[in-house]
Amino acid sequence: MTVHDDARPVMDTQIMRAQDVARLLQVPVSTIQEWARTGRIPSRKRGKHRLFVRAEIERWILEDD
């Protein structure tokens, strides 16, 4: 198996909660929760928890609508 220099295990990436993303984007937590629920912002649902990968959020910020 070949390992690329930029390949990192998921646990090495920064996992964020809605509160963290809200602070980063300077919007209410309820806005982040709604955006995640409707698929506007990338997130993952794990049980009752919604998680955000910082690299995905950063890419989402830079995307053109």
Side-chain angles (χ1 to χ4, degrees):
M1 179 167 91
T2 303
V3 176
H4 301 285
D5 291 340
D6 60 349
R8 296 185 302 176
V10 171
M11 295 311 293
D12 282 352
T13 62
Q14 187 171 353
I15 305 299
M16 303 171 75
R17 297 174 300 155
Q19 297 88 332
D20 304 319
V21 179
R23 193 173 318 112
L24 177 69
L25 300 180
Q26 298 180 349
V27 299
V29 173
S30 60
T31 299
I32 298 302
Q33 293 167 334
E34 179 183 344
W35 288 354
R37 189 176 56 254
T38 60
R40 182 171 176 194
I41 192 169
S43 69
R44 290 173 173 69
K45 183 92 166 154
R46 295 296 180 253
K48 64 180 181 177
H49 302 282
R50 189 165 295 274
L51 305 173
F52 303 83
V53 177
R54 185 177 182 102
E56 293 176 353
I57 298 303
E58 290 172 352
R59 276 192 298 273
W60 176 81
I61 291 168
L62 296 174
E63 285 178 353
D64 291 333
D65 284 335

